Amino acid sequence: MSTQTNVSTDLFGSARLGNLNLQNRIVMAPMTRSRAIGNVPNSTMADYYAQRAGAGLIVTEGTSPSPNGLGYSRIPGIFNQEQVEGWKLVTNAVHKKGGKIFVQLMHTGRASHVSNLPIGAEVLAPSPVVLSGQIWTDAEGMQPYTQPKEMSAEQIQTAISEYVRASKNAIAAGFDGVELHAANGYLLEQFLNPNSNRRNDSYGGSADNRNRFVIEIAKAVAAAIGSEKTGIRISPYGAFNEMGAFDGVEEQYESLAASLNEIGLVYVHMVDHSSQGAPEVPESVVLKIRKQFKNTLILSGGYDKAKAQSVLDDRKCELIAFGRPFIANPDFVDRLKYDAELSPADPTTFYTPGEKGYSDYPNLN
Ligand SMILES: Cc1cc2nc3c(=O)[nH]c(=O)nc-3n(C[C@H](O)[C@H](O)[C@H](O)COP(=O)(O)O)c2cc1C
């Protein structure tokens, strides 16, 4: 295991991640901020991420590997050259300030509205199971989710190749690695969970079959850019986007973690949204994953300084991700270190275009 007993567990001490030296054990969690007009990253986004480069590792907002995965308004992509050029602004700005940055590859799958997609793109999912409720579109305001089409065997292969191309693009754009978003009810988790995956081919039915798509993507991406540059985010017991509980969830994730370990992924990043009202993630599943997966484990969701240091000291994980505190506190790491006051974020500007409530939050100094 990577948990050598002689390694310091100080939240503010340096850490290794694959071949990278991180300046501390604090990860900025991926957060969609919807500032990428035309799905292309821009200089405002470079400013925002550079301001937050005090994190040991930044994981970007969810970024689509495919035109079909751009289900939300103004989320960035990484499937064409213009997007790669835009991301170079971001990675250069972060690296200049001594930070490290992974891009989160998020394909929205059925969590989508067709009017948010470019012309010719489609809302695809493992099965034609539509989400209830509504989604924001810039064109038509709130709309019911689009009925997804069941992915054909060929479309599954295309999606895998899109992840590979996006990962190569990520390296070309200067990213230190990629995080596969297999959490929060997006395409990858739609395959994992039987509530959204009703297939009866080799990608559905048994737990092994439901794990297959994620494992094939992880394998293909690791082969393309290196397993030491490939991480993954998962949310067992997650309920977001109508995932919901199912029988055998722990055994399925235990087996998935064993496969990801075999591929040699650099990290598993676990989501726990119980602090925001989601179901509690039992310690048992964290321990099962910990047992199977020998590289870095990142835990996230509702951490403060004391809780983060305590789980690090107990060697339950190597890195801790913080999300919401980074929004209004670009110098969050320093504020945490010196117990300085944290500014509250304004939720009304979480997903609005422009600098307001985004790159205009000041440092404390
Ligand atoms: C505005 C906002 C956007 C988010 N977008 C993403 C995302 O794109 N991908 C993802 O995996 N999680 C996303 N999350 C979840 C966060 O990464 C994190 O798991 C969550 O905020 C809980 O951590 P915290 O208690 O430290 O904020 C988002 C959260 C917020 C508040």
Side-chain angles (χ1 to χ4, degrees), residues 203-271:
Y203 291 94
S206 66
D208 281 351
N209 282 356
R210 294 195 308 272
N211 281 345
R212 190 179 311 282
F213 183 58
V214 173
I215 292 169
E216 288 185 355
I217 288 174
K219 245 186 215 162
V221 167
I225 65 167
S227 57
E228 77 290 352
K229 294 193 176 100
T230 310
I232 191 166
R233 196 169 208 215
I234 56 173
S235 52
Y237 290 99
F240 194 59
N241 280 321
E242 293 172 17
M243 284 290 92
F246 59 93
D247 283 345
V249 55
E250 299 213 358
E251 292 71 24
Q252 181 173 342
Y253 275 94
E254 190 174 14
S255 154
L256 179 64
S259 299
L260 299 173
N261 186 65
E262 210 169 291
I263 300 166
L265 291 202
V266 71
Y267 71 69
V268 167
H269 181 176
M270 296 258 300
V271 172

Side-chain angles (χ1 to χ4, degrees), residues 287-301:
L287 293 176
K288 283 189 177 111
I289 288 166
R290 180 73 173 164
K291 194 167 164 221
Q292 297 299 334
F293 189 77
K294 314 294 181 196
N295 273 341
T296 296
L297 189 63
I298 308 176
L299 295 181
S300 66

Side-chain angles (χ1 to χ4, degrees), residues 108-111 124-131 148-151 184-199 203-205 210 238 240-246 252-253:
T108 48
R110 68 174 184 169
L124 298 176
S127 301
V129 186
V130 70
L131 278 175
K149 286 188 194 151
E150 176 173 309
M151 289 168 79
N184 301 351
Y186 297 104
L187 183 66
L188 270 50
E189 195 181 7
Q190 290 161 28
F191 271 86
L192 295 176
N193 191 309
N195 298 323
S196 46
N197 181 346
R198 310 266 173 86
R199 303 179 73 93
Y203 291 94
R210 294 195 308 272
F240 194 59
N241 280 321
E242 293 172 17
M243 284 290 92
F246 59 93
Q252 181 173 342
Y253 275 94

